[in-house]
Amino acid sequence: MPSKKIIKISQNIALIFASIAFSLVMVEIVLRLTNLGKYSLYDRTLFFTAPSLVEGKDQTVKYEPKTNIRSVAIYGDQVDYDITYSTNNLGFVDNVDYDFNLASTKKIAFIGDSFTAGDGGNHTWVSQLRQLLDRPDTNLYNFGVTGTGIKHFQRLLASVKDTAYFNEINIMVIGNDFFRSLWYPVVQGQALWFCSQETAQDCVEKYPPVIYTADKNESQAELIDRAKQLYETKGLSEQSSPNFLQQFRLYNLMCDLYSLGKKTSSSLNLCPHLRFAQTNEYDKNELYEDSLTTLQEIKNSFPDTVIRVVHIPEKGETFNNKYSLEIRDDIKQIGLEYISLLEICPWNRDMYHKHDAHFNDLGYHNLTNCISENLF
């Protein structure tokens, strides 16, 4: 017969497990009441009106010049944002055309991905910054393009190097920018893939589209219906419905937070529903080191220009008050200035969309003020 001590220990262990189980149940209930974790960050269906992203003659990726692009992000049966923005003469998101020959005291470039382009916001934050500064002697250029990474930034800067002189280049980064290889838009039917030139056909056959095309007049209800149909088929051939764990909000939320900015794809072992698209087949450590080398090459190409790496906080990082990918030491070792926006400005989850990882209008307003107060 077990001793009283063993019985007591067993009772304490049982109590601990019961407490943990109760806590998890309560967290799950709270998440369901607040609707957090209902959809994974990777459950988004993104619609763009066509034409949108194009490959230039200089092998850069930009937006279609002089056009209005509608962008709609849908998670399940909910629209996170539905915005329309215009592009300028060079294919960038801005309300002014770019002329590098304009006389000015200062020319400042902002280059980056969708956060720099302003995805999810109703107003272009660089144009707001221009208006806020109100400096006729300073020209601002927004070179943000959705889905691009460090390699793309280098190629785009190289394409304008001989025609434009910049006093400052602000490389606006999130962690995932360091793990994105070069890609080009491949359009087939009503879908668009991000593929390398060498493996375009294999890319289309193996991976789900990144963006689907939509008509500018399609209603949100129509797009939601399309999104539901697409979600049932895109990249889910091995499982037509969520597995047991994926039905829990806490599981999805923890997977998303864990995956942001990771150098390795180890999260796929625990969270197989996370789809890293092309990045899956590469060693992320190698991509990271390659991106650091590319930043060094950018520095060498613009020896007389002030170059900063400006680290934008993502939603999960704001929640944790810590970057998932710490790049400060590596950036400083290259000899570039490093600016941590997470440390110098206040951020909160209300500045992001409900499901989507991008800023909402409040977040972009905060970004505008943060840049204005700390970089000028």
Side-chain angles (χ1 to χ4, degrees):
M1 185 173 181
S3 65
K4 291 183 178 180
K5 184 175 182 181
I6 294 177
I7 293 175
K8 184 66 174 177
I9 292 174
S10 300
Q11 290 175 336
N12 288 338
I13 292 175
L15 182 61
I16 291 172
F17 278 106
S19 299
I20 294 174
F22 177 76
S23 299
L24 292 175
V25 169
M26 294 304 298
V27 170
E28 182 70 18
I29 291 173
V30 170
L31 290 176
R32 288 180 180 272
L33 289 175
T34 58
N35 232 7
L36 288 174
K38 181 176 182 180
Y39 303 109
S40 166
L41 291 175
Y42 303 89
D43 288 343
R44 179 180 68 173
T45 303
L46 182 62
F47 292 101
F48 272 26
T49 49
S52 53
L53 294 168
V54 295
E55 180 185 350
K57 294 180 180 179
D58 48 15
Q59 294 186 312
T60 59
V61 177
K62 303 176 186 176
Y63 298 95
E64 177 73 16
K66 287 293 186 180
T67 189
N68 291 323
I69 300 174
R70 181 187 178 195
S71 174
V72 186
I74 296 177
Y75 290 77
D77 57 356
Q78 299 181 22
V79 175
D80 239 27
Y81 63 79
D82 184 350
I83 62 172
T84 300
Y85 49 85
S86 58
T87 60
N88 63 13
N89 60 320
L90 297 185
F92 296 109
V93 180
D94 209 334
N95 59 354
V96 300
D97 288 341
Y98 292 163
D99 182 355
F100 298 129
N101 295 318
L102 287 176
S104 64
T105 304
K106 219 171 197 183
K107 290 184 172 68
I108 301 175
F110 295 90
I111 188 164
D113 62 9
S114 53
F115 279 88
T116 307
D119 281 18
N122 287 292
H123 308 285
T124 308
W125 74 270
V126 171
S127 65
Q128 293 183 66
L129 178 62
R130 188 183 292 118
Q131 186 176 8
L132 178 64
L133 294 174
D134 191 23
R135 297 184 183 179
D137 61 344
T138 301
N139 287 333
L140 305 182
Y141 303 94
N142 178 7
F143 293 148
V145 179
T146 189
T148 54
I150 306 297
K151 279 287 189 180
H152 291 89
F153 305 164
Q154 179 194 39
R155 184 156 291 186
L156 197 153
L157 287 170
S159 71
V160 299
K161 185 176 183 295
D162 295 332
T163 57
Y165 171 79
F166 300 112
N167 301 90
E168 299 177 11
I169 296 175
N170 295 292
I171 304 174
M172 315 288 289
V173 302
I174 61 172
N176 281 336
D177 292 342
F178 289 83
F179 308 126
R180 293 171 177 166
S181 54
L182 282 172
W183 57 263
Y184 301 93
V186 176
V187 179
Q188 290 190 14
Q190 291 186 307
L192 184 151
W193 286 259
F194 293 174
C195 301
S196 67
Q197 290 178 325
E198 297 80 9
T199 62
Q201 190 57 43
D202 190 52
C203 164
V204 169
E205 292 175 354
K206 287 186 176 181
Y207 299 103
V210 179
I211 298 169
Y212 294 88
T213 57
D215 187 87
K216 63 180 180 180
N217 297 319
E218 278 190 90
S219 68
Q220 290 187 354
E222 290 173 321
L223 291 175
I224 288 173
D225 286 340
R226 282 187 59 194
K228 288 180 180 178
Q229 296 173 13
L230 291 167
Y231 183 71
E232 292 175 357
T233 58
K234 67 172 184 178
L236 296 177
S237 57
E238 294 183 0
Q239 52 179 62
S240 57
S241 61
N243 63 35
F244 177 74
L245 285 175
Q246 286 175 251
Q247 297 177 38
F248 292 97
R249 307 285 178 88
L250 179 60
Y251 170 77
N252 284 332
L253 187 62
M254 293 305 296
C255 280
D256 288 336
L257 293 177
Y258 178 78
S259 69
L260 290 175
K262 291 295 180 183
K263 288 187 182 182
T264 67
S265 56
S266 58
S267 56
L268 289 174
N269 297 326
L270 298 174
C271 310
H273 66 292
L274 299 184
R275 296 183 297 278
F276 288 89
Q278 291 90 334
T279 311
N280 282 353
E281 60 189 70
Y282 295 100
D283 182 338
K284 298 190 82 175
N285 284 313
E286 183 177 340
L287 285 172
Y288 179 74
E289 294 299 329
D290 193 34
S291 291
L292 293 178
T293 300
T294 301
L295 287 175
Q296 180 69 63
E297 292 169 356
I298 292 175
K299 179 179 182 291
N300 295 340
S301 297
F302 296 88
D304 300 321
T305 302
V306 175
I307 302 179
R308 305 184 185 94
V309 174
V310 183
H311 203 166
I312 298 173
E314 297 183 78
K315 185 192 290 186
E317 296 167 339
T318 298
F319 181 79
N320 295 321
N321 197 31
K322 179 182 179 182
Y323 287 117
S324 299
L325 180 68
E326 293 292 350
I327 61 175
R328 182 195 307 270
D329 293 342
D330 292 330
I331 298 303
K332 288 188 174 182
Q333 188 171 355
I334 294 172
L336 297 176
E337 185 178 349
Y338 174 75
I339 304 293
S340 168
L341 297 188
L342 185 61
E343 297 175 0
I344 62 177
C345 296
W347 304 90
N348 60 66
R349 291 183 68 89
D350 292 337
M351 296 178 181
Y352 300 81
H353 285 283
K354 188 174 183 179
H355 303 296
D356 197 80
H358 289 99
F359 293 132
N360 54 25
D361 286 337
L362 178 62
Y364 281 116
H365 179 71
N366 192 59
L367 176 65
T368 301
N369 290 334
C370 186
I371 296 295
S372 172
E373 294 169 3
N374 292 280
L375 270 66
F376 290 90

